[in-house]
Amino acid sequence: MATVEVTFTPLPAHVRTARLVATAVARRSGVDESLLDEVRLAVGEACSRAVEAHRRHCPAEPVRIEMTDQDQRFVVTVSDHAPTAPARLAAPATDNGIHDGAGYEAIGHDGGSVFPAGFGLAVISGLAEDVRVLSTSSGVSVRMSWPSTAGAS
């Protein structure tokens, strides 16, 4: 399968579309039906985190999703372009060892954080078999993967 790339305006309403596209691409890539809900939920969580970061720091920049097959795995990378401050880079690892370099989570109606830092990544790690987070000064990328039959002989 060729790489599928989607960019979208950082609005919460577009997260639903991103989930639907990722699920359709996963199905076409040969991800087992029993894993499609996990793909949908993990991509939704990663996109929600990216949307919130963009809304705070760079609302004019689009969120980027890349979906591809690599070595019989369906791989999704959700990237934001929100700057990461040094203080946020020092965020502690979650219980499963995933580093929450972004340091942001879902925001409540009062503007306060609803969940502790790292909560979204903990949810994602429970849904995806392999999760990697890359945090740089130009943003955060969350890479998730699931087994697929693409390229299987």
Side-chain angles (χ1 to χ4, degrees), residues 51-146:
V51 164
E52 186 56 41
H54 277 234
R55 289 178 62 153
R56 286 183 180 183
H57 301 287
C58 53
E61 291 290 321
V63 173
R64 182 174 174 264
I65 307 170
E66 182 180 296
M67 296 163 272
T68 192
D69 288 318
Q70 294 177 355
D71 301 322
Q72 295 185 351
R73 299 203 55 88
F74 174 63
V75 180
V76 179
T77 304
V78 177
S79 302
D80 70 50
H81 303 290
T84 53
R88 286 189 297 213
L89 290 175
T94 59
D95 289 343
N96 59 8
I98 295 176
H99 178 73
D100 182 10
Y104 47 79
E105 294 298 330
I107 301 301
H109 296 292
D110 63 355
S113 179
V114 177
F115 301 109
F119 181 82
L121 292 175
V123 170
I124 292 167
S125 70
L127 297 167
E129 234 180 63
D130 180 42
V131 179
R132 298 177 191 175
V133 179
L134 175 62
S135 181
T136 67
S137 60
S138 60
V140 175
S141 291
V142 178
R143 181 186 181 275
M144 308 160 280
S145 71
W146 295 265

